[in-house]
Amino acid sequence: MDKYPMIKKYIDELDYLNLLKNYAPGDEFDVESKEIAAKVTELLPVQEIAWIIAGVFNKHFNDNNSPDMFMDCAKKIYDELHH
């Protein structure tokens, strides 16, 4: 299963820093989505998926966000992986 399209959908929906809403190009989060897709597996709990998302965004945007900020997105990814 290619997880990238599904993960990109939820990462774009998350719209970190409202970049897409503020007219960033549609591929704004492609790099982050690919990196997250490479790390996420069906075996991971929601909390670990949130940690992965936080780690990727914190690295790419030089931020220090808590994984809690990404729990809703992580839950959507987890649910779709187990659907």
Side-chain angles (χ1 to χ4, degrees), residues 5-21 26 29 33 57 70-77 80:
M6 178 268 293
I7 288 176
K8 177 174 171 40
K9 173 177 67 175
Y10 293 121
I11 294 300
D12 284 355
E13 185 180 286
L14 171 70
D15 195 10
Y16 188 71
L17 301 177
N18 293 314
L19 294 176
L20 295 174
K21 185 170 126 182
F29 300 118
S33 296
F57 277 101
F70 303 98
M71 283 299 288
D72 288 342
C73 182
K75 174 108 173 75
K76 290 175 184 177
I77 291 169
E80 189 153 335

Side-chain angles (χ1 to χ4, degrees), residues 17-32:
L17 301 177
N18 293 314
L19 294 176
L20 295 174
K21 185 170 126 182
N22 289 306
Y23 310 107
D27 65 353
E28 179 67 32
F29 300 118
D30 285 6
V31 170
E32 294 83 2

Side-chain angles (χ1 to χ4, degrees), residues 8 21 53 56 61-62 76 83:
K8 177 174 171 40
K21 185 170 126 182
I53 297 168
V56 168
F61 289 88
N62 198 29
K76 290 175 184 177
H83 180 30

Side-chain angles (χ1 to χ4, degrees), residues 42 51 77:
E42 295 82 6
W51 273 94
I77 291 169

